[in-house]
Amino acid sequence: IEIVGAPIFTDTKELKGAVLVFHDITELKRVEQMRKDFVANVSHELKTPITSIRGFAETLLDGDMDSDDLRKQFLAIILTESERLQALVHDLLELSKLERDEFKLRYENIEITKLLSGIIAITEQQAEKKDIEFTATIDDSIYMRADHDRLKQVFINLLNNAINYTPVSGKVELVVKENQEVVEITVSDTGIGIPEEVQNRIFERFYRVDRARSRNTGGTGLGLAIVKHIVEAHKGTIHVESRLDQGSTFRIEIPVSRQV
Ligand code: ADP
């Protein structure tokens, strides 16, 4: 709380009292602190891959490396770290678009099975690599108004997470149904789960339960923040239910709003 005060005098210049104005600046302070944290986080996230790219490039340039294998390994690291930078910049730009006041979705008529066909094929491949059983149950002919590319991003981010945070031989399931003009999307996995006390924090920008694990899977820490923004822009809701070492279920509800 910020307090501003001023004395009040009588006509004969005698002190009569004082006015005190109390400003509740906790909200302002909180927003300012969040902004600072965000900038610090972005800088840190950018620094890590850049340092690594620079280090390996310098070593390669130094030139006394006779092993072709080692050279290839270094180049592979440079490539991976560049991809990480690219993903990070992509997600940051997307997030900053979504957070702009004048941001508007590009609504189109969408048929869900059509939107999902490519995504399901890719998820099947990813699941197969980890011997994960992936099932998709999609109601026929769900038509809705939505921003095609952004809705697609929601599915991609949730399914990527489900695969990434589920150990080999686990299960991942996608269910999409329509119920009373609401599209219900559920992505569940039998993965590592999320501790109860941080379940509401995972939608924050850059929040990760396990930083190292997220890094290893190429995560930017922005995926769920983006998902939440997109869902809410569609006037929908998102919830998570999860138990440590048992698995997680993300549930989204979006109104079909067909006649816009
Ligand atoms: P990241 O790029 O780190 O995956 P996200 O914003 O997508 O970033 O997710 C934030 C964090 O939430 C992850 O780092 C992870 O700790 C946790 N998380 C997200 N999805 C799952 C899941 N299906 N199972 C377990 N943990 C998850």
Side-chain angles (χ1 to χ4, degrees):
I1 293 185
E2 186 186 68
I3 308 169
V4 184
I8 306 172
F9 298 103
T10 60
D11 295 345
T12 54
K13 303 271 186 298
E14 270 175 284
L15 186 64
K16 186 174 149 195
V19 200
L20 291 179
V21 182
F22 295 84
H23 279 288
D24 184 353
I25 54 167
T26 40
E27 177 61 14
L28 268 173
K29 274 249 168 73
R30 201 180 61 83
V31 171
E32 176 62 8
Q33 190 55 45
M34 272 174 69
R35 196 192 60 77
K36 281 185 185 156
D37 289 349
F38 181 65
V39 173
N41 275 327
V42 171
S43 316
H44 176 78
E45 297 288 335
L46 289 171
K47 235 186 201 162
T48 318
I50 289 172
T51 306
S52 166
I53 289 170
R54 180 169 178 173
F56 285 103
E58 276 172 357
T59 314
L60 281 168
L61 265 181
D62 274 351
D64 1 303
M65 215 183 303
D66 8 331
S67 157
D68 258 358
D69 271 0
L70 206 56
R71 212 173 296 140
K72 270 204 181 132
Q73 259 182 47
F74 282 16
L75 285 169
I77 295 171
I78 290 176
L79 186 62
T80 310
E81 295 298 313
S82 317
E83 283 164 358
R84 174 187 303 286
L85 275 180
Q86 198 171 25
L88 189 64
V89 170
H90 172 273
D91 281 2
L92 279 171
L93 282 175
E94 178 64 9
L95 203 57
S96 97
K97 272 188 219 158
L98 289 166
E99 287 180 350
R100 252 186 234 142
D101 287 339
E102 66 273 22
F103 168 74
K104 285 206 178 63
L105 292 170
R106 278 199 275 142
Y107 276 105
E108 299 172 51
N109 293 324
I110 282 163
E111 208 264 296
I112 290 288
T113 46
K114 220 187 238 166
L115 176 124
L116 279 175
S117 61
I119 298 172
I120 288 176
I122 291 169
T123 309
E124 272 164 359
Q125 283 175 16
Q126 290 171 335
E128 205 174 330
K129 275 190 213 147
K130 282 181 81 176
D131 197 25
I132 287 172
E133 185 188 324
F134 172 60
T135 50
T137 314
I138 320 295
D139 270 4
D140 273 342
S141 36
I142 301 179
Y143 294 92
M144 67 186 295
R145 298 277 299 169
D147 185 319
H148 181 275
D149 294 355
R150 294 212 159 85
L151 189 59
K152 215 166 147 174
Q153 197 65 56
V154 167
F155 285 103
I156 292 172
N157 289 6
L158 289 182
L159 287 167
N160 269 341
N161 281 350
I163 299 272
N164 283 338
Y165 298 107
T166 299
V168 284
S169 310
K171 282 185 196 160
V172 169
E173 190 182 16
L174 166 68
V175 178
V176 188
K177 353 182 208 198
E178 190 191 327
N179 188 9
Q180 298 185 339
E181 306 287 294
V182 174
V183 178
E184 297 175 356
I185 301 164
T186 354
V187 177
S188 42
D189 63 62
T190 59
I192 60 172
I194 303 153
E196 171 108 46
E197 63 275 17
V198 298
Q199 281 173 17
N200 57 347
R201 298 206 58 195
I202 56 173
F203 299 100
E204 288 172 19
R205 306 177 292 194
F206 292 121
Y207 184 84
R208 291 139 158 155
V209 180
D210 177 349
R211 190 166 214 99
R213 184 174 184 119
S214 160
R215 245 188 90 76
N216 283 339
T217 55
T220 61
L222 297 174
L224 285 179
I226 290 175
V227 165
K228 190 165 198 270
H229 272 291
I230 296 176
V231 168
E232 289 178 350
H234 283 87
K235 308 217 183 328
T237 55
I238 178 162
H239 295 286
V240 61
E241 271 167 46
S242 181
R243 282 183 64 186
L244 211 55
D245 299 323
Q246 310 263 319
S248 311
T249 299
F250 287 83
R251 203 181 307 279
I252 290 176
E253 297 193 343
I254 299 178
V256 292
S257 56
R258 259 179 294 252
Q259 53 282 10
V260 175

